[in-house]
Every structure is written in C-alpha cells, then in structure tokens.
Amino acid sequence: MELNLQDKVALVTGGSKGIGLATTRTLLDEGARVVVASRTTTPELDQLAGPDLVHVPTDLTDPGAPAFAVSRAVDVFGGLDILVNNAGGPPPGVKLPRFSFLAPTDTDWRVMFEFNLFSVVRAVRAAIPVMLGRGGGAIVNVSSGNARQPAAMNVDYSAAKAGMNNLTKALSEEFGPQGIRVNTVSPGPVRTAWWTDEGGAADILATATGSNRDDLMDKIAPEMMKLTTGRLVDPQEVADVIALLVSPRSASTTGADFVVDSGFLKAV
C-alpha cells in the first residue's frame, strides 16, 4: 500500500530503539524526512543515517526539550507534518515493574508523569502552531493497554497513559476541524529494551516467578497476561499501525485508539 508520505516531515520521540526505531525506519522507507529526539543514538539508528534523518540528542523530561526538537524539524526540513510521541515507559534510571501502589513515592509519580505525559503535552503544544501553518498534520501518541486495564502494578505509569488517552480525545475534538488528526496506538507487552535490557522487566519478573528471563519472555509472561497470540508484540507490528495512521490514507481517522497487544485487552 502506498502511504503517500513522500517528503512529509516527521518528529519521532524516543526513536533510537524499540517501537520508535521501527517507526523511524518505516517512515524513512516511505519517503518521509525524520527528526528523532532521544537522549542518545544507537548503532541501529546510526545505520539509518542519511540526508533525510536528523538526530536531536535531548532529554525529553527537560521542559524545553520537546519544543527544541520541533524547532529543529522546522530549521532543518522547513516544517512539521507528523508527530509521533513514542518516548515513554520507565523514565531514565527507573526499573519497572513495581508491584504495588505503595511502591512509588511522590518523586516517582512526578518523574513518571514528566516522561509519559507532560513531555507529550509540550511536544503537541509546540507542534500544533507549525502544523496549522502548513494546513494540518497528524499526531500519534503511543499509549498502552495498561491505560484501559488497571492493575496493582505500575500504577503511576498506567495513570499517566490514561491521561494521554483523554488528552488525545480532547486534541482531536479541538483541532480535527482545523486539519490535525490525533490518535493513540496502545501496544501490549512489546519485546523492547524495557523487557530485554539487563535488569529490565524480564529479569525482575523472572526473579519474582523463580524462572529465567528467556522462559519468562517466551512462555511465562504471555501466559500471565493471557495473550491470545501466545507471544509478546514485535516493535514493527506497532510501527506499521503508526505509519498507516499518520498517512493521508487515514484521513477520516481521528480520536481513535488502535490496540496492538497480542490480545491483552479482553473487554468490548
């Protein structure tokens, strides 16, 4: 399917690995020009280097960072058509999961919301005037199935993502008539660094269940989460949905939440 993204300008936050990297690669393959905002680059991102890719090293918990990334897109490529707010999950230095509401402190809550919600608010605030000046645009906020499936685990993270879903609906209502579409994509558990890094979710859950990290990711976690497909999501599967949503092929889709979760959410 031709997505009609040739020469569109995109900003992808957290685009150096995982879902963000897969999204960056996909948008580049479709002819878009991409600005990636992340704290550091990676060898995988470096392999995509070329005239249509710019990396902006920045910490998105810094209140000025999202607007700076938007300004770089304007300076380098002349504007902004697409914003993918992908950065999220455990803030820098934080390990998840946490197993109780009582575990995170006030500081933990603030840091979680800074990374998973307030950085999105700031990026959208900076992007919308630029998009309006170009006649419209598309925003995808990467949320989580946990926003709709509360549990006694990662409560602060889930609350931040639930706020993102509400924000997305509000933005779609206000700016849809002005040509800016805003949607969410809600992944389930995705085989990314959150799980696979040393000391990450796989190791934490393996310790809690008395198993090993490979069995945890391949068998135990899918069973615990009742994943219909029996496996964690691949990042490219999420990126494909994001690419379709930012495409003009999805011109009548706004205010929607697209679930890519291996069957994690069961509710109608």
Side-chain angles (χ1 to χ4, degrees), residues 171-196:
L171 291 169
S172 72
E173 283 295 301
E174 181 172 359
F175 296 103
Q178 301 175 67
I180 299 176
R181 298 182 300 104
V182 193
N183 295 286
T184 53
V185 171
S186 291
V190 183
R191 194 178 280 261
T192 63
W194 180 348
W195 282 83
T196 60

Side-chain angles (χ1 to χ4, degrees), residues 114-145:
E114 282 287 346
F115 190 43
N116 285 278
L117 182 58
F118 297 156
S119 68
V120 174
V121 170
R122 292 164 182 146
V124 172
R125 185 187 293 137
I128 280 178
V130 179
M131 290 181 172
L132 290 175
R134 290 166 73 87
I139 299 172
V140 170
N141 297 324
V142 179
S143 184
S144 168

Side-chain angles (χ1 to χ4, degrees), residues 27-46:
L27 294 178
L28 288 170
D29 288 345
E30 292 293 332
R33 294 174 288 178
V34 184
V35 174
V36 168
S38 63
R39 286 184 300 137
T40 60
T41 187
T42 60
E44 294 79 9
L45 181 62
D46 291 341

Side-chain angles (χ1 to χ4, degrees), residues 57-72:
T58 189
D59 181 353
L60 290 161
T61 62
D62 178 345
F68 176 69
V70 170
S71 71
R72 287 290 291 147

Side-chain angles (χ1 to χ4, degrees), residues 19 142-146 185-190 233 238 258-261 264:
I19 295 170
V142 179
S143 184
S144 168
N146 288 342
V185 171
S186 291
V190 183
V233 181
V238 185
F258 282 75
V259 175
V260 188
D261 70 350
F264 171 67

Side-chain angles (χ1 to χ4, degrees), residues 51-248:
D52 291 330
L53 175 65
V54 171
H55 178 244
V56 179
T58 189
D59 181 353
L60 290 161
T61 62
D62 178 345
F68 176 69
V70 170
S71 71
R72 287 290 291 147
V74 174
D75 292 344
V76 176
F77 295 129
L80 186 66
D81 305 295
I82 295 164
L83 171 63
V84 180
N85 284 305
N86 166 73
V94 174
K95 298 294 185 182
L96 295 180
R98 298 187 181 107
F99 295 103
S100 170
F101 164 77
L102 299 176
T105 65
D106 280 1
T107 298
D108 292 328
W109 276 85
R110 282 193 292 269
V111 171
M112 188 66 71
F113 269 65
E114 282 287 346
F115 190 43
N116 285 278
L117 182 58
F118 297 156
S119 68
V120 174
V121 170
R122 292 164 182 146
V124 172
R125 185 187 293 137
I128 280 178
V130 179
M131 290 181 172
L132 290 175
R134 290 166 73 87
I139 299 172
V140 170
N141 297 324
V142 179
S143 184
S144 168
N146 288 342
R148 293 164 52 187
Q149 184 63 53
M153 181 185 291
N154 301 333
V155 179
D156 49 347
Y157 170 77
S158 300
K161 291 300 190 181
M164 174 188 282
N165 286 14
N166 189 289
L167 169 68
T168 299
K169 287 282 190 181
L171 291 169
S172 72
E173 283 295 301
E174 181 172 359
F175 296 103
Q178 301 175 67
I180 299 176
R181 298 182 300 104
V182 193
N183 295 286
T184 53
V185 171
S186 291
V190 183
R191 194 178 280 261
T192 63
W194 180 348
W195 282 83
T196 60
D197 276 356
E198 184 175 352
D203 287 336
I204 293 171
L205 288 169
T207 298
T209 58
S211 61
N212 64 70
R213 65 191 335 264
D214 291 332
D215 286 345
L216 190 287
M217 284 188 286
D218 293 340
K219 180 173 172 50
I220 297 170
E223 290 176 353
M224 289 171 57
M225 298 181 180
K226 298 181 172 62
L227 301 185
T228 307
T229 65
R231 63 172 177 83
L232 304 187
V233 181
D234 184 270
Q236 187 62 52
E237 295 168 333
V238 185
D240 289 342
V241 175
I242 293 171
L244 180 59
L245 282 174
V246 301
S247 163

Side-chain angles (χ1 to χ4, degrees), residues 12-17 20-22 24 36-38 42 45 86-87:
V12 180
T13 67
S16 63
K17 56 187 177 181
L21 177 68
T24 297
V36 168
S38 63
T42 60
L45 181 62
N86 166 73

